[in-house]
Amino acid sequence: MDEDTPEGATPGGDGRGSDPAPGPSTAPRTDGGTERADEPTEDVALDPWGSASVGDYADLFEEFGIEAFDEVADEVPDPHYLMRRGVIFGHREYDAVAEAMANDEPFAALSGFMPTGDPHIGHKLVFDEIIWHQEMGGDAFGLIADLEAHSARGMSWDEIDEHARNYLLSLLALGFDAEEGEIYRQSDNREVQDLGFELGSKANFSEFEAIYGFDGETNISHMQSVITQTADILYPQLVDEPKPTVIPVGPDQDPHVRLTRDLATRVRYFKVTEAFASFELDDDERQLVRAAYDALAADRAADGDDPDVRCEDAAEWLANYEPPESDRESVDLAAAKATALDKLEAGGKEPLRPRVRFFDRNATDEAFEALIEAVDGEKRVFEGHVDAFDLTRGEAESVAREVEIDHDGFGFRQPSSIYHRFMTGLTGGKMSSSIPASHISLLDDPEDGYDKVKAATTGGRDTAEKQRELGGEADECPVYELYAYLLAGDDDELTKEVYSECVNGERLCGGCKEQAAELMREFLEDHQEKREEAEELLENLDIDLDSDRRGTGGEH
């Protein structure tokens, strides 16, 4: 959940004599959407501890199943400016969080920070996203991933303590309400460590190899830190009750989210699925059988015929069925149709009847008996599963979760996530903590921040004459990103003005950088005043920033 070295994909020109490097656009659009390249440009690899860059964000939708944020944006009440400008570009199941937010129901937001250096403006994106969710009524959690920093980066505990303090001061200075939210260190949270132990019983090394590329040289503590992070992600659901929970991160952290979503399902007592007969269907097969059942049942109801639909009838209908074009993208049509037909034909005259099915996954005998009692209406009980005919899928999920919690289970919901674009470094290329000129630390002297912006690469033309004639390339400009991601704040009109004037040749890079540099100086002055004010608040929090842990130090 850390974004230690956020980076962008496309360097811009310096505005005074060099053209921007070619590549896909990563800049936000002024209409609230995001420019995206149409064609893939490179293989996508997501490494939580490696080089945090993505050549084409659109590839993530197909490669890893991340969904476009545009599809859920309209469901979000009063969206944050990072959402409006397309800086937040993707999500996993954020609609559950948006629905809870809109209906004033419980939800939570959590993200973590690996304290390996000073917090900088790239980290501010995550700070802002946690704080906004808190302001929208969510339970907010900020954690220091100190176990990860020690195991994966070899940081000493003294170094970790110093950096952790700086991260937390900036989080508080930016508006995190520590009285309403929770801040903790992984190493001090026993509930997280105990949960990690339980989750670890459902994970195996082959998964770590496939997801993270771990091998025989990977140290055991590094593996433990991964499981600890899955426990972090699910921790908000241990507080009060299971609830929709969003993890705001850069896309390089998606492997942690995917693993946690899997583990959240594996530790559940019951699996709830839709079923139609005695046999099992996978998701693609179920989609096709549902289409067959709905069509046949509707036809028979209209004709006044026997309403029973049998498996052999559905097989005959499905043999001639061609799904809508929109469905074919998500279904392996040939494979799913072939296996669904085999199952339906084998079912013969067995009635095809929709139901929800509860599978016993990890339940105790007492919990399984309690589930049987809790299912209202017509039901059939088998060894290892229960079929219910009068419950919707949502009602069944609620029953399963209530029984699980009543019998000492977790009842976790799969966590949601949102993904923001990486900021381009001020010198072009990646923004890296190890390259001081490429980023602005939240601890930088305001004058140093001013100077870094003034020296930044831009998307400008070689000369002022060409700039006026051709316009600048704001989509390739790190300075325009500063306006869109940070300096304009909630003022959408300012970003539109800067963008329009740039691309229309009305704005030259010198004046644009001067305005941005002044705004950066003002931001840093204000932020550091608030950091000083937050010192007393941090001292009064129940968090130990003077660790007495022993460590080997250096690389592990």
Side-chain angles (χ1 to χ4, degrees), residues 212-269:
Y212 301 107
F214 287 174
D215 57 26
E217 299 301 313
T218 305
N219 71 70
I220 301 300
S221 292
H222 193 172
M223 298 181 208
Q224 288 179 310
S225 77
V226 170
I227 286 297
T228 301
Q229 288 199 67
T230 66
D232 287 322
I233 291 171
L234 293 173
Y235 174 65
Q237 299 192 57
L238 295 182
V239 181
D240 297 329
E241 61 183 328
K243 57 179 101 41
T245 301
V246 61
I247 314 301
V249 286
D252 59 323
Q253 301 300 302
D254 183 61
H256 295 322
V257 175
R258 296 199 309 271
L259 176 60
T260 307
R261 285 172 62 86
D262 285 345
L263 293 178
T265 299
R266 290 180 212 168
V267 298
R268 292 293 306 275
Y269 278 9

Side-chain angles (χ1 to χ4, degrees), residues 520-532:
M520 183 62 74
R521 178 162 54 193
E522 292 171 11
F523 164 74
L524 290 173
E525 287 173 349
D526 178 68
H527 181 66
Q528 289 172 22
E529 286 177 9
K530 290 177 177 175
R531 278 175 55 91
E532 292 179 8

Side-chain angles (χ1 to χ4, degrees), residues 398-409:
S398 295
V399 168
R401 182 170 285 109
E402 288 170 8
V403 170
E404 181 174 344
I405 293 171
D406 286 345
H407 289 77
D408 300 321

Side-chain angles (χ1 to χ4, degrees), residues 318-340:
L318 184 57
N320 300 309
Y321 174 62
E322 290 294 331
E325 191 68 34
S326 58
D327 290 346
R328 296 181 200 178
E329 297 176 1
S330 59
V331 175
D332 184 346
L333 178 60
K337 190 172 180 179
T339 54

Side-chain angles (χ1 to χ4, degrees), residues 308-550:
D308 285 346
V309 176
R310 300 189 181 277
C311 291
E312 60 187 11
D313 303 326
E316 182 179 351
W317 184 92
L318 184 57
N320 300 309
Y321 174 62
E322 290 294 331
E325 191 68 34
S326 58
D327 290 346
R328 296 181 200 178
E329 297 176 1
S330 59
V331 175
D332 184 346
L333 178 60
K337 190 172 180 179
T339 54
L341 281 171
D342 286 344
K343 293 176 182 180
L344 289 169
E345 289 166 354
K349 293 188 179 297
E350 180 184 349
L352 200 65
R353 188 178 173 197
R355 66 200 74 179
V356 288
R357 179 165 290 162
F358 299 84
F359 283 103
D360 180 354
R361 178 175 268 153
N362 298 298
T364 61
D365 291 342
E366 293 80 5
F368 189 70
E369 291 299 322
L371 174 74
I372 296 170
E373 290 296 318
V375 173
D376 292 330
E378 184 183 354
K379 58 193 168 189
R380 293 179 186 171
V381 179
F382 304 88
E383 183 177 356
H385 75 269
V386 179
D387 284 359
F389 295 88
D390 297 327
L391 296 178
T392 66
R393 175 73 178 271
E395 290 168 340
E397 291 282 7
S398 295
V399 168
R401 182 170 285 109
E402 288 170 8
V403 170
E404 181 174 344
I405 293 171
D406 286 345
H407 289 77
D408 300 321
F410 294 114
F412 289 135
R413 299 178 58 131
Q414 285 190 311
S416 305
S417 49
I418 52 177
Y419 303 95
H420 56 257
R421 295 169 175 274
F422 298 121
M423 293 187 73
T424 307
L426 298 179
T427 54
K430 66 182 180 179
M431 180 177 287
S432 172
S433 296
S434 61
I435 306 175
S438 76
H439 74 272
I440 294 175
S441 166
L442 296 178
L443 280 60
D444 273 346
D445 182 279
E447 292 303 321
D448 290 340
Y450 175 93
D451 291 340
K452 286 182 180 181
V453 175
K454 287 286 285 182
T457 296
T458 74
R461 304 293 177 175
D462 290 349
T463 65
E465 185 176 328
K466 283 188 177 181
Q467 179 93 350
R468 292 189 179 98
E469 177 187 353
L470 302 174
E473 296 185 279
D475 292 331
E476 310 294 340
C477 181
V479 175
Y480 174 68
E481 279 189 18
L482 290 178
Y483 284 102
Y485 288 48
L486 169 64
L487 299 177
D490 209 41
D491 186 356
D492 288 340
E493 293 306 312
L494 177 56
T495 59
K496 292 177 182 179
E497 175 186 301
V498 172
Y499 187 93
S500 176
E501 289 180 356
C502 174
V503 299
N504 289 315
E506 301 166 10
R507 174 176 284 252
L508 300 181
C509 295
C512 188
K513 288 204 287 187
E514 176 64 31
Q515 182 183 5
E518 289 284 0
L519 290 172
M520 183 62 74
R521 178 162 54 193
E522 292 171 11
F523 164 74
L524 290 173
E525 287 173 349
D526 178 68
H527 181 66
Q528 289 172 22
E529 286 177 9
K530 290 177 177 175
R531 278 175 55 91
E532 292 179 8
E533 295 169 6
E535 289 274 3
E536 183 177 353
L537 178 59
L538 182 58
E539 292 299 322
N540 292 330
L541 293 182
D542 184 21
I543 185 166
D544 184 5
L545 294 174
D546 187 15
S547 175
D548 58 1
R549 282 176 168 261
R550 300 181 188 181

